[in-house]
Amino acid sequence: MPSATDDLIQRLYESPPEGFVAARTAAIEDARRAGDKPAAKRLAALKKPTVAAWVVNLLALRRPELIEELVELSTALREAQRGLDGAALRELTNQRRQVVSALVAAAGKLARAEDRSIKLPLGEVEATLTAALAEPEIAAQVRTGRLIRAATYAGFGEVPRPRLRLVTDEVDGPDDEDDAGDGDDDAEVVEFPQPNAREKAAAERRRREFEQRRRDLRRELTNAQAAERRADEQLERAEAAERDAGHVVEDLDAELAELERRRTEAQADVARRKQARRLAERETAAARRQVGDVQAALEDLESDEPE
């Protein structure tokens, strides 16, 4: 049974990415105040998804049955590839396009229902779902609903089809009876067109260019992944610094509130003391008037004293 933290994490990955960091920070603070250190640690380890990853997460969390259909189709495609079943592979490839298109449309609808202002990178969503068809590991990640970035797979799709046709052409060539026949049949086999030296050289050049391009792309991928790791680390440091700064602000706010309370109390005390001073001033003035009156009466009395 999913825990409260699991439910919270699901809500985080269902919500638009722009609010992810603030919501995660608030959730971490709530867990810390509740004394739930394991939950706080789990939440702190979560990474913000890209918009494309968020759209795929929505699909996986809200429409998991569609992802299961994708996985079933993936299994059928791999079996057709292993069995070199050209007809089945062509049919499944067409079906793949239809299924992926339908899933992209469903994911886009879910995302627009959440936030119409976000520009949806549906091409990356399509690439991720296509990659899930080709790689069980990617499909497993998609199922979790916690992707943080889009996925791609360059080796799936149309590449096996020309190879399969080549194999089919060889199988559909001269049958066993022709191979076992006389010299005339052998002459027909020799007459099959063979690639000339120029075609071989061009093919070899294309192969070298392809290999070089693949090496370049792999090197670029390695560099990009390293840069991504550095960026993730920098983001984590920045988020930690942001949290620490937030704690400082909270402490200062608390101190400021205490100082404001003391200031209010001091002002009230000053007002009370001012009122007491004014009362004392009135009493002093009255006493002075009384002294003056008594002195005047005494002087009058003394001036009338009989000799």
Side-chain angles (χ1 to χ4, degrees), residues 125-141:
V125 174
E126 180 178 359
T128 301
L129 295 174
T130 302
L133 273 169
E135 289 288 351
E137 294 81 2
I138 297 176
Q141 293 173 14

Side-chain angles (χ1 to χ4, degrees), residues 5 15 18 20 27 57 74 76 128 136 143 168 171 185 199 205 219 222 234 236 239 272 290 298:
T5 303
S15 302
E18 62 181 8
F20 183 89
N57 289 338
S74 171
T128 301
R143 276 173 160 171
T168 303
V171 173
D185 292 337
E199 292 173 344
R205 184 172 61 254
R219 183 167 55 253
T222 299
Q234 184 177 0
E236 290 174 359
E239 290 172 347
R272 288 192 299 271
Q290 184 178 5
L298 180 60

Side-chain angles (χ1 to χ4, degrees), residues 20 107 219 227 240 267 285 289 301 307:
F20 183 89
R219 183 167 55 253
Q267 287 177 331
R289 284 193 301 271
L301 179 63
E307 297 180 355

Side-chain angles (χ1 to χ4, degrees), residues 196-209:
N196 57 33
R198 181 178 299 176
E199 292 173 344
K200 288 181 178 180
E204 178 62 20
R205 184 172 61 254
R206 288 193 298 272
R207 186 191 65 79
R208 288 196 301 269
E209 291 173 352

